[in-house]
Amino acid sequence: KFKLPERHGHTDLAVKGFRALGSAAEPALPELRRLLRKPVSWEGAVFSLGAIGPAAVPILASELTNSNCPMPSYVVDVLVDLAPSVGPSLVPVLVSGVTNPNCHAHAECLTGLGNLGPMSRDLAPWLSALARKPGDPLAGPAMRVLAEVSDRPEQYLPLFSDRLNDANMAGHAAFALARIGPDGIPPLLRALTNQAPSIKAAALAALEPTLRDGRAL
């Protein structure tokens, strides 16, 4: 009837140790790469690699095509966390993730580009073209990212306003309009009278300060 204590993992301690060591732990990179292939250790290996720092980026980037479904999403999060120390060189890594057909985290990589903010500003023309691409599942998220990284997001006001009238794109367009600032508010207010419930709900959500002022990606 006695409940024996469960065995506790040491993953968190390992990650903290690698973070304390930083670049001094680079000799552990090959072993951590091997641990990525094991079901019981891949998650800890991902975060340990991120804790080591920029030297781990090539290993992490190669895992964006890993067929282990959760892993690529974790990798994107870790890569974005490394942005302050890696800098703009992280942008092409995430762009490759968006465009590589073998990548299993296209949307996550696109979101990551938005979270890089000004580092991704040169991608505005590419993002604009992606946002206008008919039938592309990334067209909607591209609008949000475009609003995040562009120096002049107001120039895309016609595009976002038009997409707001599309029930399938309304959620993305609404938050893109909200990120523009004051110029994006009138289309959202007009959408509150739209007869389509999804469009009205999207506009209402985008006007909510707690949602509008945070990253809705």
Side-chain angles (χ1 to χ4, degrees):
K1 295 182 181 180
F2 290 98
K3 184 178 181 180
L4 298 175
E6 297 179 359
R7 180 181 178 183
H8 293 289
H10 299 290
T11 299
D12 290 343
L13 293 175
V15 173
K16 290 177 181 178
F18 283 120
R19 185 171 292 116
L21 290 170
S23 60
E26 289 180 16
L29 291 176
E31 178 64 14
L32 288 171
R33 187 170 201 166
R34 186 182 70 82
L35 293 175
L36 287 170
R37 298 292 180 263
K38 294 181 175 291
V40 298
S41 59
W42 70 262
E43 185 175 345
V46 167
F47 289 108
S48 295
L49 286 164
I52 291 175
V57 169
I59 295 176
L60 290 166
S62 67
E63 298 305 321
L64 291 174
T65 56
N66 194 303
S67 58
N68 177 359
C69 188
M71 186 191 293
S73 297
Y74 282 58
V75 166
V76 173
D77 289 340
V78 170
L79 287 173
V80 172
D81 287 342
L82 286 172
S85 56
V86 176
S89 63
L90 192 58
V91 173
V93 173
L94 294 178
V95 170
S96 177
V98 176
T99 58
N100 186 345
N102 295 318
C103 177
H104 295 278
H106 294 118
E108 291 84 349
C109 288
L110 188 58
T111 295
L113 289 169
N115 290 334
L116 294 183
M119 289 186 194
S120 302
R121 64 163 59 94
D122 291 340
L123 298 177
W126 172 65
L127 291 166
S128 176
L130 182 57
R132 301 171 194 273
K133 198 171 181 181
D136 195 306
L138 296 178
M143 286 191 292
R144 297 194 187 202
V145 177
L146 184 58
E148 289 283 352
V149 307
S150 175
D151 288 333
R152 295 192 309 108
E154 63 276 4
Q155 66 183 299
Y156 303 108
L157 185 62
L159 170 65
F160 298 158
S161 299
D162 178 66
R163 295 296 191 271
L164 184 60
N165 295 316
D166 183 339
N168 295 321
M169 305 283 281
H172 300 293
F175 278 98
L177 286 165
R179 297 304 290 176
I180 288 178
D183 290 341
I185 301 301
L188 291 172
L189 293 176
R190 289 194 294 270
L192 294 178
T193 61
N194 197 293
Q195 297 302 309
S198 60
I199 294 176
K200 183 186 300 185
L204 188 61
L207 289 167
E208 170 59 43
T210 56
L211 297 175
R212 181 187 70 236
D213 297 333
R215 291 190 183 277
L217 297 173

